[in-house]
Every structure is written in structure tokens, then in C-alpha cells.
Amino acid sequence: MNTVTRPRILVVGAGFAGVECVRRLERKLAPDEADVTLVTPFAYQLYLPLLPQVASGVLTPQSIAVSLRRSKKYRTRIIPGGAIGVDLKSKVCVIRTITDQIIDEPYDYIVLAPGSITRTFDIPGLTEHAYGMKTLAEAAYIRDHVISQLDLADASDDPAERASRLQFVVVGGGYAGTETAACLQKLTHAAVKRYPRIDPALIKWHLIDIAPKLMPELGDKLGRSAQEILKRRGIDVSLGVSIAKAGAEEVTFTDGRVVPTRTLIWTAGVVASPLIATLGAETVRGRLAVNAEMNLPGNDGVFALGDSAAVPDKAKGQEDAVCPPTAQHAMRQGRVVADNVVATLRNQPLTPYVHKDLGLVVDLGGTDAVSKPLGIELHGLPAQFAARGYHWWALRTNVAKVRVATNWTLNAVAGDDFVRTGFQARKPAKLKDFEYTDAYMTPEQLRAHVEGTDRKES
């Protein structure tokens, strides 16, 4: 008896791009038309733009971790792990499960949406002493760490120790860094009132960036407005400056300043997931070079999108323009890729991705915000309304929307209890401990692995 197997669609990554793709595939494909598999370490979609609010305690971690299993119609198979290599020739994805088992997952069609990792540089001590702001665990960990610095400073009688524990450095003047510094400064400003032994003047926040402007995508006017808000709160903003070296108790800036600190938060941009390098395909600044249909040229059935793909930005009308790594692009690319996978299955023409940017929103905590929706510049409460309204609308489930709205209301009315939740272990966990960048295979290791597996099976 001949057994007819359904086409196997493998989606790598459960970020904005991957989840939107899977959801649309489920809606457009009949159950017997194809098998859909999703590779992700966690069965949730993380709403990354709100991570700084988790770190500052405005939102609980669960409120921005949107479950993938909530829908009763969900039929996608989930492999709990991370893809560490893709062999395009053999059509095999190598996966390391959450129990460190290595498995080979064959596919007929693959959608690569593994996202990005924190961009680092060869700065002495950086990965050993800095914290990131890219995962839910990091946000929860940083909150515990910042509150623990207040606890330890309050208990200490050593002026030098107090000085280092009460200074905080954030590197990166983009949205992530600016919002992180702003939200955490609000946390320490409110918390210090509960620490009568700490002089509030000793708490100092530093935001530095090598760029000459803060959030240049917002434009000069809104960028200056955001900088003025931060300075008014007492945050020291230094532009044209970066880190020369980092230590356990101090950080040296490139302008020669030495700042005593136990808290260095690194948010200086992202790069494509190391998974992309395992393909041996053409890249643009580390992102996989794809066409407007998000198909890898010369590889039918291979699609890439989101932070890991250099998707042409047709809306800008410039030949070499690529879409920025933002949530609004990733979500819409996910839907178009799903349509193109279905079109490939059904021998129909593919659709190019075109989307005009809707604008930017930056939540600085409290009533402070700067936003530029649809090119309209907003400040203060109108900007805050636009920022939170956009984030609330973008959350995928009604349950997540209710949780976030409830958290915002409770925080506005009752404030914070400044409780450490126990995520912080005795052993510090820094930048190098969260993103597992050493887990990926080299192209040579991948080829040897696949060939070895083929020999065993034959």
C-alpha cells in the first residue's frame, strides 16, 4: 500500500514573524493539506517592546508572554528547542532540544524567523560583566538585580560600596536602551523613598551611545525632547561615547571617565541569529539576502523574514533599502510569507512584501513619552496614549490585553512593592549566559553531522 505523505512546513522561531506565519498557515491550509511544525524553546510569543516595563515592575512577566497553546484550534506541532543549523541541500534542520538532545528535522518548506541576538563588540570584560535586555529571563533578572543593589547599599556602611551599587550604566541610545534607562530610573526613584538610609542624590543613571543623536529615527525635534525628559529626571545622557572596558565594580568610558558601578546594561543594537551563518548563503550585514517575496534566491521553498532577513523595503522606493528589524514589519512579513508558502504549495504566483512604516512610539514611563505615529509628532500624555494604545492593540490575544491593561492600572493606582522575585541566583548571570550564542554549528560541523547521519541510515 502506497503511503502519501503531506508536505512538511517547518517554521523556525516564535517571535512576531514566526507566530504570525504559523497562525495564518493554520487558517489558510486544510488539516490534510500540510503538516506545520514550529521550533521554539518556549511555547509563547514574547512581546519584546514591553520588556523594559517588565524590568521596572510595571508589568508582570506573564502578561507579555503570550501562550501559543491558548487557541483551541491550534494544531501546529511544537519542538521545544532551538535550531542550530540548516542544511539546504539535504533539507534538514538540526535542533538542540531544551534537554540538550540533538535531533534532525526534515522539511519540504522552511520559514526562517529565528530573530536576532544582542550585538556585542570586542570590549574587554563586556560579556563577562554586562546584562542584556533581549529575553524575558533577562528582564526579570535585571529587576531583581537593581532592587538588590538598593538593598545592599542600604545595608552597607562603606561609602565606596554604596557609590558603586547606586550608579547604573545603560549603553545604547536606541528605543530599547532609552526605554530601559527611563523605566528603571522611575523604579529606583520611587523605591528609594522606602530606604531611609540611602541619600537619593547618590543614585545616578547614565545613558551612553556612540551615536551623535538619541533615537535618530524619531527626528531631531523628538530626539531632543526625549533627551530633555531624561535629563530633567537626572539621567546623565552622554552621546559620542561608548565603553572602553568593563569590570565587576567599575566601567571605563571611551572619554576616559571611570564610573563605579555594579550594573552595566548593554542594549547597543542587535544582529541576526547565528543560525543564518550556518546556511552558507549570501548575507547583507549578517542578515540573509532574500527577494521581495522573502524567498531565498535559488532555493524554492526556503523563506526568511524578520530580524534575520534583509527584506527589500519596496515602500521606500530606494533600490538598496531594507526593512528595519521592527515588530510591525515582522508581523506583516509573517502573513505575507504564509501566503507565499501556500501559493508555492498550490503552484500560484508569490506576493512581494510592501508596507509603509506606521511610525514609532517610545514609552518613557509615567506620563512621559514621545511618539511619531503616521509622521505626527506627539509629546507627553498624547504620546503616551499613542504608545500604550499601539502596544495594547498589537498584543495578539484578549487575555494578554486584559493582563497588560490591568497591570498598567494597578501600577498607576497602587505603585510597586519593590519585591525581588527570586530569579537572581547566587551565581551572577550576565550577557553571555542568556543567549547561548556558542550553541550553533559551523557550516563544516553541520555538513559533517548531516553526512554522518546519512551514512548511519544507509
Side-chain angles (χ1 to χ4, degrees):
M1 182 176 67
N2 293 327
T3 302
V4 179
T5 59
R6 290 187 292 267
R8 298 162 298 186
I9 302 171
L10 182 65
V11 180
V12 177
F16 290 103
V19 170
E20 286 294 324
C21 178
V22 166
R23 288 290 185 246
R24 197 167 183 93
L25 286 172
E26 289 181 328
R27 288 194 295 271
K28 300 199 75 171
L29 290 172
D32 60 350
E33 196 171 357
D35 291 327
V36 182
T37 300
L38 176 65
V39 181
T40 174
F42 309 105
Y44 62 75
Q45 177 194 5
L46 178 63
Y47 192 83
L48 274 168
L50 292 178
L51 270 184
Q53 295 192 37
V54 171
S56 63
V58 174
L59 298 175
T60 60
Q62 188 182 6
S63 62
I64 67 166
V66 184
S67 173
L68 299 181
R69 300 188 187 275
R70 187 144 197 111
S71 172
K72 294 178 181 178
K73 298 179 181 179
Y74 192 75
R75 65 175 190 269
T76 296
R77 169 184 169 229
I78 296 178
I79 300 178
I84 59 174
V86 176
D87 189 289
L88 297 176
K89 183 179 178 182
S90 302
K91 290 194 171 184
V92 169
C93 180
V94 183
I95 299 165
R96 186 190 300 274
T97 70
I98 57 175
T99 56
D100 283 334
Q101 180 186 3
I102 303 297
I103 61 174
D104 296 342
E105 184 67 20
Y107 63 85
D108 298 301
Y109 303 89
I110 189 168
V111 176
L112 297 168
S116 56
I117 62 170
T118 302
R119 178 182 62 182
T120 57
F121 300 98
D122 190 18
I123 298 172
L126 176 63
T127 58
E128 292 81 11
H129 300 292
Y131 302 96
M133 183 60 79
K134 196 75 173 64
T135 68
L136 194 60
E138 284 176 312
Y141 188 95
I142 285 174
R143 172 176 165 79
D144 270 16
H145 170 79
V146 168
I147 295 175
S148 74
Q149 298 312 297
L150 299 178
D151 289 342
L152 292 165
D154 183 66
S156 175
D157 292 320
D158 182 354
E161 180 185 355
R162 279 192 165 197
S164 66
R165 294 198 183 280
L166 296 177
Q167 292 207 65
F168 306 88
V169 178
V170 179
V171 184
Y175 308 111
T178 303
E179 289 188 336
T180 296
C183 290
L184 286 173
Q185 186 274 337
K186 292 283 283 186
L187 170 69
T188 56
H189 177 74
V192 75
K193 299 172 184 176
R194 315 289 177 90
Y195 294 86
R197 298 183 71 246
I198 295 178
D199 180 0
L202 293 176
I203 298 178
K204 297 179 181 178
W205 280 88
H206 303 265
L207 175 62
I208 69 173
D209 196 309
I210 197 65
K213 297 178 181 178
L214 200 67
M215 296 181 293
E217 298 89 344
L218 278 175
D220 290 346
K221 187 177 178 181
L222 284 182
R224 284 196 304 270
S225 178
Q227 191 169 338
E228 288 168 4
I229 291 170
L230 299 180
K231 286 186 175 181
R232 189 168 66 244
R233 289 205 205 154
I235 299 175
D236 178 40
V237 180
S238 300
L239 301 175
V241 177
S242 188
I243 296 295
K245 63 179 180 179
E249 298 182 10
E250 66 178 27
V251 170
T252 303
F253 293 175
T254 51
D255 62 5
R257 282 182 290 165
V258 178
V259 176
T261 183
R262 311 286 179 102
T263 308
L264 171 61
I265 303 173
W266 180 268
T267 64
V270 296
V271 293
S273 165
L275 178 68
I276 298 304
T278 71
L279 276 67
E282 181 185 353
T283 59
V284 178
R285 295 184 179 178
R287 301 167 73 184
L288 195 63
V290 296
N291 55 30
E293 291 75 23
M294 291 168 283
N295 178 235
L296 181 64
N299 293 269
D300 291 338
V302 178
F303 297 87
L305 65 163
D307 292 7
S308 287
V311 179
D313 193 346
K314 294 293 186 181
K316 284 190 176 180
Q318 301 172 6
E319 187 176 343
D320 59 346
V322 297
C323 297
T326 61
Q328 63 173 289
H329 278 293
M331 292 169 70
R332 289 163 178 82
Q333 287 170 8
R335 298 167 199 156
V336 175
V337 159
D339 291 344
N340 285 341
V341 171
V342 174
T344 304
L345 274 168
R346 298 172 180 171
N347 295 315
Q348 297 171 347
L350 305 188
T351 303
Y353 174 73
V354 182
H355 168 64
K356 187 175 181 180
D357 204 300
L358 296 177
L360 305 163
V361 294
V362 182
D363 188 336
L364 299 175
T367 59
D368 293 326
V370 289
S371 299
K372 198 175 182 179
L374 303 174
I376 303 170
E377 296 186 347
L378 300 175
H379 308 257
L381 278 175
Q384 184 65 283
F385 181 81
R388 294 200 171 182
Y390 173 79
H391 290 316
W392 187 86
W393 168 80
L395 288 164
R396 193 172 47 79
T397 68
N398 290 329
V399 172
K401 291 179 180 184
V402 171
R403 282 181 177 144
V404 167
T406 302
N407 284 175
W408 279 337
T409 303
L410 281 174
N411 186 264
V413 173
D416 197 332
D417 287 329
F418 314 110
V419 172
R420 283 184 281 130
T421 51
F423 284 103
Q424 181 170 307
R426 291 285 183 179
K427 182 181 178 181
K430 301 301 172 82
L431 195 62
K432 63 184 178 65
D433 300 310
F434 280 103
E435 297 191 41
Y436 307 105
T437 54
D438 58 348
Y440 296 87
M441 290 182 166
T442 64
E444 295 75 22
Q445 289 172 333
L446 178 62
R447 172 73 358 218
H449 171 82
V450 171
E451 289 177 352
T453 302
D454 290 344
R455 283 194 295 270
K456 288 179 183 178
E457 291 177 351
S458 60

